[in-house]
Amino acid sequence: MAHGDQNQAHHGHHITPIATYAKILGLLVILTILTVAVARPVSGFDAGILNAGIAFLIASVKAAMVLAIFMGLKYDKKIHLAIFISAVFFLIVMFTFSVLDIYTRIHVESTL
Amino acid sequence: MATAQVVSEKNYLNESKGLWSWLTTLDHKRIGLLYMVAVLTFFLLGGLFAMLLRVELFAPGKTIMDASQYNQVMTLHGTIMVFMVIIPGIPAFLGNFILPLHIGAKDVAFPRINLLSWYCLITGASIAFFSLFKNGVDTGWTFYTPYSIQTSNGTTFVVLGAFVMGFSSILTGLNFIVTIHTLRAPGMSFWRLPLFVWALYSTAVIQVLATPILAITLLLIAAERLLGIGIFDPKLGGDPVLFEHFFWFYSHPAVYIMILPAMGVVSELITAFSHKTIFGYKAIAMSSIGIAAVSFFVWGHHLFVAGQSEVAGIVFSFITMLVGVPTAIKTFNWIATLYKGSIQFQSPMLFALGFLFLFTIGGVTGIILATIGVDVHFHDTYFVVAHFHYVMVGGTLMAIMGGIYYWFPKIFGRMYNEFWARVTFVLIFVGFNVTFYPQFVLGSMGMPRRYYDYLPEYTSLNRISSVGAWTIGTGFLIALFVIIHGLLKGKKAEMNPWGAKTLEWTTSSPPPHENFINEPIVTAGPYEYR
């Protein structure tokens, strides 16, 4: 049986110090405030077509911190990181093809 | 493949008794049977609605229902068959039962999550049924916007039901991936896995990666309806075509959730009843992974005439053609396996051969529809209806039937009536072609789908199609009696009535609670015939 894999996972389990959790929590709160601050209705900040991109970037950084520290991916086996990255890859595939349609559609229909 | 096990009178069926023991069971075999009961019940209901649709279409104009009722019955048929029958059919029922036996494990990796998956399916189905019946939802199973965000309130609950059923699919997929990675018997390397396991593995990857997208998309519909957030509603600056992108990003790979396990079953049947080592084992295994991977890049062929850009359409058309490559690899390898095999035409084999015939037609017509210029003509006609029924029914349901008959002796420890099983094959196979082949012709003549009425010149082909549908219905009803008769009166099954080589046939029929009395040790591949 391959039960050995399970045993391996239980050994060497990384224990993250409370202080690290607190720092990450602080960063998450700061980034949340930043997300609100760069929102056009709140601050009047307007980066045009990049508005959504900036929001996605901040959200992605937050998600990466949660995954790496709170969910322990940073200290886990690399196969789990690969699984996560594959999920991100398919998300990128979905966005890329959808955006390909939307932007080429706008271009074709534009009378400018 | 491994040494035969000692036969035990104690088995998973008589290990504990009473309804409560079934509803709280953690045994993958019993959970598989819970899925079987649920899926067969849903199938009877979905089939009944199909029969009603064909009665309505027997003649032009109103026959037994008006246009609105027709749309509701069509929605019931589609939603039930897709979300409650074909998606959970093979992975959750046959997969749950056979996978641990196939790899020499005592159970799946997470038995409690396995039971939770079943309850998710039942809960989601109950929510969806409640709304479908009470509110008469008529969006079709695709919930296209903007109609789905404007029509009756019931849509929110149907969408919620599909959302909950999605969790069943995700949890089952996750369970299977972990089970295959961690619970294989000693000696069971990946290249010794039965091809059904490879197919379930590929399916599980799609379930885990794609189903969350559907869940979020359906939640967005609910949010759109309840909060008016304007993602899909053009009035609020949204894009209805974006919904189709999100929906088909899941739903096209979902076609492979339906068909990949069916291909796995067919691989088992063809090698077992040819009594010959399968041809191109690695090619078939890798083509399952290939199909799963390519399936994520082709969804845009559903949007050729929905307003999608020409550039995107051309890209999707090209990539869609690529699916034909791994699919053809499988088909050619199956045919090569049959070559010079000692073929036995038992009912499971008949269904496997039926699959080959029907799925090939479904696949080739898929290539036709993937060609943009042709699709502009065929889109939303009966040609499409015929195509996807040849894939889903001609493919998946034929494989389910073959799989049920093949593993019936193992699951229940009894044999079914072979003569009547063959009769069911003849009725289903002939009835299927009589139903759906005329629909290719109707579609190429321009008859649109999803209407309760049609022009008089379509009448004769519609009548032939309806007669075919009732023939299929008769075939499935007889199959149900064959199963019930086998359960009650079938003669006791041997450990390995087919002379097959995979691990499940080395344990007693039905298997004991933990599958094997002694842990099997695998020393060779799964199909060591000759």
Side-chain angles (χ1 to χ4, degrees):
Chain A
M1 288 283 212
H3 293 303
D5 293 359
Q6 293 170 328
N7 295 335
Q8 237 177 8
H10 290 299
H11 294 303
H13 186 76
H14 182 267
I15 306 214
T16 308
I18 298 287
T20 308
Y21 284 132
K23 279 180 203 164
I24 297 297
L25 178 64
L27 279 170
L28 289 171
V29 171
I30 290 166
L31 287 170
T32 305
I33 294 168
L34 185 65
T35 308
V36 177
V38 297
R40 190 172 47 186
V42 177
S43 62
F45 174 81
D46 189 0
I49 199 169
L50 295 176
N51 277 337
I54 291 170
F56 269 118
L57 182 68
I58 298 171
S60 301
V61 172
K62 287 166 68 183
M65 288 195 298
V66 170
L67 283 160
I69 306 300
F70 286 150
M71 297 178 74
L73 206 54
K74 185 178 174 186
Y75 311 105
D76 210 335
K77 283 192 279 187
K78 295 299 170 206
I79 180 74
H80 295 146
L81 183 63
I83 289 168
F84 172 71
I85 289 172
S86 69
V88 174
F89 170 74
F90 281 106
L91 196 64
I92 291 169
V93 166
M94 188 182 80
F95 283 151
T96 306
F97 280 90
S98 301
V99 166
L100 169 76
D101 166 38
I102 290 167
Y103 282 94
T104 50
R105 216 189 312 158
I106 289 168
H107 176 73
V108 168
E109 290 171 0
S110 173
T111 53
L112 295 176
Chain B
M1 184 169 182
T3 49
Q5 303 275 318
V6 178
V7 179
S8 166
E9 285 304 314
K10 198 84 172 160
N11 60 61
Y12 80 100
L13 290 171
N14 59 23
E15 181 77 19
S16 54
K17 286 192 165 60
L19 182 63
W20 187 246
S21 76
W22 280 86
L23 294 176
T24 56
T25 183
L26 299 179
D27 186 330
H28 70 98
K29 299 180 289 302
R30 284 187 163 211
I31 293 171
L33 290 194
L34 289 176
Y35 272 111
M36 183 189 84
V37 172
V39 168
L40 284 181
T41 308
F42 297 146
F43 179 65
L44 281 174
L45 210 52
L48 174 69
F49 291 123
M51 295 301 117
L52 291 175
L53 291 174
R54 286 314 316 175
V55 172
E56 171 53 38
L57 291 169
F58 191 72
K62 181 179 174 182
T63 310
I64 57 165
M65 58 183 97
D66 60 29
S68 175
Q69 289 166 331
Y70 180 88
N71 288 346
Q72 291 165 15
V73 173
M74 181 200 72
T75 302
L76 278 162
H77 170 69
T79 309
I80 292 170
M81 287 304 201
V82 171
F83 290 113
M84 303 174 203
V85 177
I86 301 186
I87 287 181
I90 297 184
F93 157 39
L94 288 175
N96 244 315
F97 196 100
I98 298 300
L99 171 66
L101 286 160
H102 253 348
I103 63 172
K106 290 178 180 174
D107 209 310
V108 292
F110 307 118
R112 283 183 175 77
I113 289 180
N114 202 17
L115 183 63
L116 175 66
S117 305
W118 184 75
Y119 278 105
C120 282
L121 177 73
I122 298 301
T123 307
S126 304
I127 295 169
F129 271 131
F130 174 75
S131 191
L132 283 165
F133 284 112
K134 185 171 179 295
N135 300 302
V137 177
D138 60 355
T139 59
W141 75 276
T142 51
F143 311 116
Y144 272 6
T145 56
Y147 185 64
S148 62
I149 51 179
Q150 296 164 351
T151 186
S152 77
N153 288 328
T155 309
T156 307
F157 285 98
V158 180
V159 159
L160 178 67
F163 178 82
V164 176
M165 283 187 275
F167 277 98
S168 171
S169 199
I170 294 167
L171 294 174
T172 300
L174 182 70
N175 220 336
F176 283 4
I177 290 173
V178 178
T179 303
I180 294 166
H181 273 281
T182 60
L183 297 183
R184 302 189 310 277
M188 175 70 83
S189 64
F190 261 72
W191 291 125
R192 286 178 178 170
L193 287 175
L195 287 165
F196 184 46
V197 177
W198 274 104
L200 287 174
Y201 187 81
S202 312
T203 308
V205 169
I206 301 177
Q207 286 175 304
V208 170
L209 284 174
T211 315
I213 305 287
L214 176 77
I216 295 299
T217 308
L218 296 180
L219 269 191
L220 286 175
I221 283 203
E224 190 94 340
R225 290 179 61 88
L226 299 172
L227 307 171
I229 53 177
I231 290 178
F232 304 129
D233 188 349
K235 282 196 303 243
L236 301 170
D239 180 4
V241 179
L242 186 65
F243 170 81
E244 294 190 31
H245 275 296
F246 288 176
F247 180 82
W248 287 110
F249 183 82
Y250 162 78
S251 294
H252 193 79
V255 172
Y256 300 99
I257 294 177
M258 304 171 203
I259 202 68
L260 273 171
M263 291 168 160
V265 171
V266 168
S267 296
E268 298 300 323
L269 300 184
I270 285 184
T271 186
F273 290 93
S274 300
H275 300 281
K276 189 180 158 204
T277 306
I278 197 144
F279 187 88
Y281 168 88
K282 286 188 179 178
I284 295 178
M286 284 297 102
S287 62
S288 293
I289 302 288
I291 289 171
V294 177
S295 74
F296 280 96
F297 296 83
V298 301
W299 79 87
H301 63 236
H302 294 272
L303 284 73
F304 283 158
V305 298
Q308 180 181 245
S309 77
E310 287 174 17
V311 174
I314 290 165
V315 171
F316 279 120
S317 175
F318 174 73
I319 303 173
T320 302
M321 303 283 180
L322 295 180
V323 185
V325 176
T327 310
I329 287 172
K330 282 186 189 295
T331 309
F332 291 134
N333 280 304
W334 289 326
I335 292 168
T337 305
L338 292 171
Y339 180 66
K340 289 191 175 178
S342 305
I343 299 173
Q344 279 186 309
F345 291 102
Q346 305 277 25
S347 45
M349 183 60 157
L350 292 176
F351 277 101
L353 296 175
F355 171 98
L356 274 184
F357 185 84
L358 300 179
F359 182 75
T360 303
I361 295 176
V364 169
T365 51
I367 297 293
I368 293 171
L369 289 171
T371 313
I372 300 181
V374 183
D375 186 74
V376 170
H377 176 72
F378 284 142
H379 187 86
D380 265 344
T381 70
Y382 264 80
F383 193 94
V384 179
V385 178
H387 155 70
F388 73 72
H389 279 88
Y390 263 87
V391 174
M392 291 184 187
V393 184
T396 308
L397 282 183
M398 294 296 275
I400 288 183
M401 289 305 299
I404 288 175
Y405 284 139
Y406 178 57
W407 282 301
F408 190 92
K410 186 54 60 185
I411 295 172
F412 298 111
R414 291 180 180 276
M415 297 301 290
Y416 57 85
N417 185 304
E418 179 59 31
F419 171 78
W420 283 105
R422 289 181 192 188
V423 170
T424 63
F425 168 75
V426 172
L427 287 173
I428 292 169
F429 183 79
V430 173
F432 180 85
N433 284 294
V434 173
T435 307
F436 292 104
Y437 201 85
Q439 293 185 11
F440 280 126
V441 183
L442 284 167
S444 58
M445 289 165 73
M447 180 175 165
R449 61 192 283 207
R450 295 186 166 171
Y451 288 92
Y452 89 122
D453 194 7
Y454 50 80
L455 298 173
E457 52 262 43
Y458 299 138
T459 305
S460 53
L461 285 171
N462 266 298
R463 290 201 166 154
I464 292 170
S465 187
S466 290
V467 170
W470 302 330
T471 311
I472 303 175
T474 309
F476 277 119
L477 275 180
I478 294 174
L480 183 65
F481 284 115
V482 170
I483 291 170
I484 293 170
H485 179 267
L487 269 173
L488 300 175
K489 305 239 166 140
K491 68 171 186 178
K492 201 165 165 36
E494 298 165 21
M495 184 186 279
N496 187 3
W498 313 121
K501 300 289 184 185
T502 40
L503 273 183
E504 76 273 25
W505 301 107
T506 63
T507 190
S508 54
S509 302
H513 174 57
E514 290 191 333
N515 294 345
F516 301 93
I517 305 292
N518 308 309
E519 186 180 42
I521 295 168
V522 181
T523 54
Y527 310 114
E528 299 291 322
Y529 291 93
R530 61 177 170 81

